[in-house]
Each structure stands twice: as structure tokens, then as C-alpha cells.
Amino acid sequence: MSKRKVVEALLDEAGTTYAAEAGIKLENKPAPLYRLLVMSVLLSTRIKAGIAVDATRELREFGTAQRMRDATWQQRVDALGRAHYVRYDESTSTALGKGAQLLLDRYNGDLRKLRAKADGDPDEVRELLQEVPRLGPVGADIFCREAQAVWPELRPYFDEKSLAAAKKLGLPADPGKLGELVEGYDLARLAAALVRVTLDKGLAEEITRAA
């Protein structure tokens, strides 16, 4: 079983990015980047990924930092509740409001300005992202993992979860060598597929059979 066959099976079986699943057409523009940030915050908590993705969809009406800031606390809570994001809905609503204000104050709501401030340094992108309330190292990893689709300087970006899954499937656990197995535009899909393997015990077996 060749490594490339495994990667092809991964992309075929599980290669939908979390942004795409949440209905985000990811582009290097303020609104989709902001929605990706919101999704990264929601995925950071101890809650099922599917619920966090559903909550991202429910919050789409507040799809810019300005709209999120202008929404009432209760409107944000209600949107999270519709997705059953209930254990952390109140504290998350507060964090989203504060995060939106921070982005407006520092970057005029445009994450491309955070990117420019980092000046091509992925580690600096991660550090700056973690200034956003409720977005720690895990959330920063999620954002970068997905944003590499439109921010090439982040490539190849594989976090600990995706590298652990790669090792389990007999793929390189080194980000550089793993990244060589796909074209640059597929790196985010590969990283997402590997994360899905860690969350779905049966998926690794399906991938192995398909390869």
C-alpha cells in the first residue's frame, strides 16, 4: 500500500475541510476569514466537532466582526442554542463579542491586517491569533490548518492531531515530508481528513481498505 494511495483515499473519504462543512467559501477576504476565526473558537472547547460546525452555520448572520459586535449577547446565545452548543453558550457569546471588538480595534475587523503584521511568519500568526478571547493554541492550530488554503506562507500546516493520525496510517509524521504527498491547494483538505481520522475510530480502517 503506497503512501500516495493512502492520501488519495483520505482525500476521497474525508477530505472536506471544516470550513467547507460549515458553509464557508474560504477566500482571502475579511468575512470568510472572520467566520473561520469564529469556527476556530467554537471548535476549541470540549464539544463535538459537528455541533461546533453547526453553531458556525447558525452564526453566519453575524459574519463580520462588526456584525458580531453589534449583535446582542442574547442573539448570539440564541444562535448557539439552535445548534445545541449549550454547555458553553453564555460564556462563548461573551467571548465572541469581546473578540469582535478586539479585531475591530486592532485590525479594523480585517484578519488580513493580522497576516500583514505577522509578515509571513507562521509562529507570529499563531501568537497574534491567541490574543483573541477563547482562542488558545488549539484554536490557533485549527485556524492555521484551514487558512493554509488561502495563506500559502502557512504551508505545510499539520497540528499534533493530524500528525498523530498520519503516523497511525503509516504516513510521514514530519510536516514537510507529509506535505510533499499533495499539491499545495490540497494541504488543508489533507490536514482536515487526518483530524477526522482521530475523531472517528472506524475511519482509519475505511481508509486502509480503500487504499
Side-chain angles (χ1 to χ4, degrees):
M1 181 169 55
S2 75
K3 292 180 176 62
R4 290 196 182 276
K5 285 284 188 185
V6 173
V7 168
E8 286 174 15
L10 272 166
L11 294 177
D12 287 343
E13 298 288 330
T16 301
T17 64
Y18 284 90
E21 187 182 343
I24 302 170
K25 185 182 178 183
L26 196 56
E27 298 176 280
N28 187 35
K29 294 179 179 179
L33 289 170
Y34 177 68
R35 290 192 65 204
L36 174 61
L37 183 79
V38 169
M39 185 186 76
S40 301
V41 169
L42 298 177
L43 281 166
S44 297
T45 55
R46 291 179 178 273
I47 204 159
K48 288 184 178 179
I51 292 175
V53 168
D54 288 345
T56 304
R57 280 201 211 94
E58 290 293 341
L59 286 163
R60 63 185 175 277
E61 63 185 297
F62 314 124
T64 65
Q66 185 72 51
R67 288 178 188 164
M68 188 68 79
R69 197 277 308 272
D70 291 346
T72 67
W73 178 83
Q74 190 62 52
Q75 283 176 315
R76 295 191 293 265
V77 168
D78 290 346
L80 292 166
R82 288 194 297 272
H84 307 292
Y85 196 96
V86 290
R87 262 176 79 191
Y88 307 97
D89 55 348
E90 295 186 357
S91 60
T92 299
S93 175
T94 299
L96 290 173
K98 289 181 177 178
Q101 186 64 63
L102 179 144
L103 292 177
L104 288 166
D105 290 344
R106 296 190 184 175
Y107 307 113
N108 199 28
D110 187 348
L111 284 163
R112 293 175 302 181
K113 294 183 178 180
L114 179 151
R115 180 190 187 189
K117 185 175 181 181
D119 196 26
D121 183 348
D123 289 335
E124 184 66 12
V125 170
R126 289 184 80 258
E127 289 299 315
L128 293 172
L129 286 169
Q130 289 178 69
E131 294 174 359
V132 175
R134 195 64 77 81
L135 195 77
V138 171
D141 278 340
I142 293 167
F143 182 92
C144 292
R145 199 177 69 211
E146 298 269 326
Q148 67 181 319
V150 292
W151 289 2
E153 68 272 19
L154 296 176
R155 299 172 185 170
Y157 202 99
F158 297 100
D159 56 13
E160 288 183 10
K161 270 189 177 180
S162 51
L163 292 174
K167 187 175 181 180
K168 182 178 180 180
L169 291 168
L171 297 173
D174 174 75
K177 291 179 180 176
L178 183 58
E180 289 174 0
L181 296 173
V182 293
E183 298 294 337
Y185 54 78
D186 271 338
L187 284 165
R189 291 181 61 220
L190 177 58
L194 288 166
V195 170
R196 292 180 191 280
V197 167
T198 70
L199 301 176
D200 183 343
K201 292 179 181 178
L203 187 55
E205 293 178 10
E206 287 181 34
I207 298 300
T208 303
R209 284 197 302 269

